[in-house]
Amino acid sequence: MLIVNSVTKYYDQNAVLQNASLSLLDGTFAALVGSSGSGKSTLLNLIGLLDRPDSGDVVIDGRSVAVLSSIEAARFRNELIGFVFQSFHLLSRLTAWENVALPLFHRGVGRAERRTAALAMLDRVGLSDRIGHRPEQLSGGQRQRVAIARALVTEPRLILADEPTGNLDSATGLQVMDLLRQLNRDLGVTILMVTHDRDMARLCDRVIEIRDGRVLPQEEQG
Ligand SMILES: Nc1ncnc2c1ncn2[C@@H]1O[C@H](COP(=O)(O)OP(=O)(O)OP(=O)(O)O)[C@@H](O)[C@H]1O
Ligand SMILES: [Mg+2]
């Protein structure tokens, strides 16, 4: 599903990632752990085609992204990858269902079809009774569930989540974690989730550790 092959990334002549490699089998739920500044978000951005490595390659679903033009990369990203962020990144003026439907709007899907798909996804994340609420009218956990529904509405193969429970209290964080686990099982979507929380990491199939821009060697699992 995902192969990161000896990726190096420099910022201001500092190697933030150094020959970082990892591979994920289809359907794996993996945690990415490491101390602050170790390069976790940088790695996620490279995998999510939001940025390019200085050397090395990322292969997603058998396709090497190094050779993609930026337009192709954007299309590839829209088709295959969903993002979930620590701070939700919802649009405050849109309702829950409109937020979830936004990626479909960008794909040119008509309003009725967008709404049907958004409502189905909100139902999956347990928010059928909040479809018309705006983000400020929702709790943190509910906002993150809207963001997860938005990430999934395009039926991506890979979800990249950067500390999705980081802004939530531990009970709400665990609920969001349970939801991701359930979606991983039911939909077969591969998930790579950055977390600082060892308890969260333990609930994943695999834990990938990054230290000073290097992925630590580990046993293949699952
Ligand atoms: N755009 C940038 N320009 C310059 N340096 C950057 C940039 N983005 C990240 N860095 C640096 O790269 C290193 C890794 O950053 P990154 O955001 O990947 O860490 P992280 O593991 O996600 O940390 P955290 O757990 O705090 O989110 C840090 O030293 C950071 O200062
Ligand atoms: Mg980070």
Side-chain angles (χ1 to χ4, degrees):
M1 163 78 231
L2 170 68
I3 301 169
V4 176
N5 200 353
S6 197
V7 157
T8 297
K9 178 75 185 174
Y10 287 91
Y11 284 126
D12 315 321
Q13 290 168 3
N14 298 317
V16 171
L17 292 174
Q18 283 187 64
N19 300 316
S21 298
L22 64 90
S23 61
L24 284 187
L25 294 175
D26 210 5
T28 305
F29 189 174
L32 180 62
V33 303
S35 57
S36 183
S38 57
K40 303 182 297 296
S41 296
T42 303
L43 182 58
L44 229 58
N45 288 343
L46 295 179
I47 295 170
L49 306 182
L50 297 170
D51 204 353
R52 299 282 185 142
D54 293 307
S55 65
D57 195 14
V58 176
V59 181
I60 303 173
D61 250 8
R63 284 196 68 183
S64 164
V65 306
V67 298
L68 299 178
S69 71
S70 49
I71 291 172
E72 287 170 331
R75 217 176 116 197
F76 196 65
R77 179 169 66 233
N78 290 339
E79 279 172 12
L80 282 170
I81 302 172
F83 293 91
V84 180
F85 302 95
Q86 177 171 355
S87 51
F88 320 130
H89 291 197
L90 299 175
L91 294 187
S92 58
R93 287 200 287 197
L94 299 186
T95 63
W97 86 259
E98 288 166 341
N99 267 288
V100 173
L102 206 54
L104 298 176
F105 174 80
H106 292 306
R107 283 187 176 188
V109 177
R111 182 181 161 94
E113 199 183 324
R114 288 202 304 272
R115 193 167 192 278
T116 305
L119 296 195
M121 205 42 82
L122 282 166
D123 188 37
R124 242 184 207 287
V125 302
L127 286 178
S128 289
D129 55 347
R130 293 288 186 279
I131 58 173
H133 286 55
R134 289 194 311 281
E136 65 185 22
Q137 300 170 312
L138 298 169
S139 70
Q142 289 170 339
R143 286 180 209 183
Q144 194 59 297
R145 284 191 274 155
V146 172
I148 290 167
R150 180 186 56 189
L152 282 164
V153 77
T154 54
E155 301 180 359
R157 299 298 310 135
L158 175 65
I159 293 279
L160 299 174
D162 201 343
E163 300 212 46
T165 64
N167 276 353
L168 305 174
D169 64 69
S170 52
T172 309
L174 272 175
Q175 283 170 15
V176 165
M177 182 71 196
D178 278 347
L179 174 65
L180 288 171
R181 174 45 103 185
Q182 188 188 323
L183 294 166
N184 163 252
R185 284 211 188 106
D186 295 352
L187 306 174
V189 61
T190 306
I191 303 179
L192 181 59
M193 178 185 80
V194 173
T195 182
H196 273 118
D197 188 327
R198 292 277 164 183
D199 291 335
M200 299 285 180
R202 260 196 292 277
L203 296 171
C204 296
D205 302 324
R206 279 180 62 188
V207 180
I208 297 164
E209 185 165 355
I210 184 164
R211 195 176 294 166
D212 298 331
R214 294 173 188 275
V215 176
L216 299 189
Q218 38 160 0
E219 308 247 322
E220 283 287 333
Q221 299 168 31

